[in-house]
Amino acid sequence: MKTFNTTGPCRPGKHFMLPPIPRIPEARELIDEEKYFVIRGPRQSGKTTSLQALTAELRDEGEYAAVYISCESASTRAEEAAPAEVRILSEIAAMAQATGLPEECLPPEPWPAAPGATRLLRGLSAWARRCPRPIVLLMDEIDSIHGDELISVLRQLRQGYNSFPVPFPHSVALCGMRDVRDYKAASGGDPSRLVGPSPFNILAKSMRLADFTFEQVAELYGQHTDATGQEFTAHAIQRAFHASQGQPWLVNALAREIIREMRIPVSQSITDEHMHQAVERPDPVEDGLHQLDGYLDRLDLSHGTLIVFDRRPTAPHLLERTAIEQVTSPRGHAVTLVRA
C-alpha cells in the first residue's frame, strides 16, 4: 500500500507501505478452495498493491499459474476498438509473458478463434486445458468495463465456472470499487434488464479491503521514523487514527500535509499539536470532489454524493453545521455535498 512520499530539501523521495497480503487474509484460502470472489474498496486503498503481491507470492511458490491484469485496457469505448473480451485476452497473454510464467504455463498463441461473446470463455478454457498448473486469474479494475460488455464478461466467467469437467481457471478474483452484485444494475439503467439471475451468481465471497488498524497506522508512520529519524509521537498517531478512522487515503493525506506542506524540520518530532494543525488546515471538499470525479468516471455515473463529516472537537453542534447543497465537480459532475 503506497503512502506519503517524503520528498523535501533534506530527504530523498521514498514511498512507505504496509505488507499488503495481510489486508486480504481470506484470499489465499478462497483460492485454495477453487472459489471465485470479489475484493472491493475505494481508490488509493491498496487494492492493486495487494493483488500484485498476492500474484507474486502464488507465482513464486510454483503451485499455481497466477496472472494479474488490469481491465482498464479493456475499457475503451471507441467504435473501432476491439471488444472488451479480446482486449482482456490480450492483456492476459502480455502479463503472463512479462511476469515470467514458465513456457508450458503460457496461454495459447494465438488464442482460439470463437464467435463474439464467447471468446473469453473459449480462450480461458483452451489455456486451462494446456496449462499443467491450476490457473489463478486476478482481474483488477473490473468496473472500468461498462454496460453489455461487462455483463458479457461476467456471464462467460460464470459459464466457464459451471462447465465442469471442461477445463477452466481454478480461481478468479474480481477487484473494483463496488460489489459485483451492483454491476448488473449499473449496466445501463433499464429496469427490464434487471430481471433474471445475476451474471456472476457463482460468487463465493465479496470482501471489502479493510481500513488500517491503529497498529497499522503506527507501523506506517514508524517506517518514516526509521528512514528519517523523525518520530511521530504516540499522541500524534492516536489523533491521526481518531481523525481518519483508519481510512488509508486520510491516513496518507495527514502525513503528506505535515511532511510536504507544513514542512516540519526532520530534527523535530511530529507532535499531537502538529497533527491537530494538519487535521484543521485543509478543507477536504476540493480533494474529495477530485476523488469523487475518479469514482464517477470509473463507474460511468453522471452524479454522486460527497459527505464531509467534521470530527474536530472545536466543530459546532451537528445541527448547526449540517448543510446540503448542489455543487459541480471539477470534471462537471453534479454532486450533492453534505456537510455534517
Side-chain angles (χ1 to χ4, degrees):
M1 168 62 201
K2 289 183 177 179
T3 181
F4 54 95
N5 187 317
T6 60
T7 53
C10 300
R11 55 200 105 165
K14 181 176 177 63
H15 287 287
F16 303 117
M17 61 186 298
L18 292 171
I21 294 177
R23 299 191 64 209
I24 47 173
E26 297 172 90
R28 182 54 189 269
E29 181 179 350
L30 291 168
I31 289 171
D32 290 340
E33 294 176 352
E34 304 183 49
K35 302 299 186 183
Y36 284 33
F37 59 98
V38 166
I39 299 171
R40 68 188 193 279
R43 296 180 68 191
Q44 301 180 30
S45 62
K47 300 187 302 297
T48 295
T49 305
S50 296
L51 283 182
Q52 290 175 336
L54 177 60
T55 305
E57 180 181 275
L58 294 170
R59 185 174 60 245
D60 292 345
E61 290 176 358
E63 180 181 352
Y64 296 110
V67 174
Y68 162 90
I69 67 165
S70 171
C71 294
E72 280 191 301
S73 64
S75 63
T76 303
R77 285 179 260 173
E79 291 184 4
E80 66 276 11
E85 58 181 345
V86 172
R87 283 172 277 153
I88 288 173
L89 290 174
S90 177
E91 182 74 5
I92 290 172
M95 291 303 296
Q97 186 75 45
T99 53
L101 277 185
E103 185 73 25
E104 66 272 16
C105 294
L106 292 176
E109 176 59 41
W111 294 101
T118 67
R119 297 183 185 97
L120 185 63
L121 172 68
R122 301 286 179 84
L124 294 180
S125 181
W127 182 22
R129 187 177 297 111
R130 64 172 283 172
C131 183
R133 300 180 188 175
I135 294 170
V136 176
L137 182 59
L138 299 106
M139 303 176 66
D140 199 3
E141 310 288 2
I142 184 65
D143 43 15
S144 63
I145 308 173
H146 300 278
D148 290 336
E149 290 198 311
L150 175 59
I151 298 302
S152 174
V153 167
L154 296 178
R155 282 177 173 159
Q156 290 181 68
L157 291 174
R158 181 186 66 187
Q159 186 175 347
Y161 177 88
N162 290 327
S163 66
F164 182 83
V166 176
F168 208 67
H170 172 92
S171 179
V172 174
L174 305 180
C175 188
M177 291 191 294
R178 58 181 163 190
D179 196 325
V180 73
R181 295 182 180 90
D182 299 328
Y183 294 164
K184 193 173 185 182
S187 64
D190 182 355
S192 66
R193 302 177 65 184
L194 304 183
V195 178
S198 163
F200 204 67
N201 57 8
I202 56 176
L203 175 67
K205 190 174 183 64
S206 179
M207 298 181 289
R208 183 185 182 277
L209 199 68
D211 291 331
F212 293 157
T213 64
F214 173 80
E215 291 74 19
Q216 288 174 322
V217 174
E219 179 184 351
L220 196 62
Y221 287 177
Q223 292 179 23
H224 171 76
T225 301
D226 293 340
T228 67
Q230 185 176 41
E231 180 185 11
F232 283 80
T233 67
H235 287 298
I237 297 171
Q238 182 64 55
R239 185 179 291 273
F241 180 73
H242 177 75
S244 68
Q245 293 298 292
Q247 297 178 48
W249 183 84
L250 293 175
V251 172
N252 297 339
L254 289 172
R256 284 196 301 269
E257 181 71 20
I258 291 171
I259 294 167
R260 301 179 66 179
E261 304 300 329
M262 295 168 58
R263 293 188 176 274
I264 306 303
V266 72
S267 59
Q268 296 182 20
S269 295
I270 296 173
T271 66
D272 180 55
E273 179 57 30
H274 294 138
M275 191 62 70
H276 173 70
Q277 292 175 30
V279 171
E280 294 283 339
R281 274 166 58 102
D283 183 349
V285 170
E286 182 177 353
D287 285 346
L289 288 173
H290 278 288
Q291 189 174 24
L292 184 60
D293 267 335
Y295 293 155
L296 297 176
D297 286 344
R298 176 68 52 75
L299 303 177
D300 200 27
L301 299 174
S302 61
H303 64 277
T305 302
L306 176 64
I307 302 175
V308 180
F309 191 79
D310 193 341
R311 297 179 57 87
R312 294 174 297 181
T314 58
H317 188 275
L318 179 63
L319 294 178
E320 298 176 20
R321 67 178 189 260
T322 299
I324 301 175
E325 60 179 313
Q326 301 299 317
V327 301
T328 301
S329 73
R331 296 185 192 172
H333 294 105
V335 176
T336 301
L337 173 63
V338 181
R339 293 182 180 268

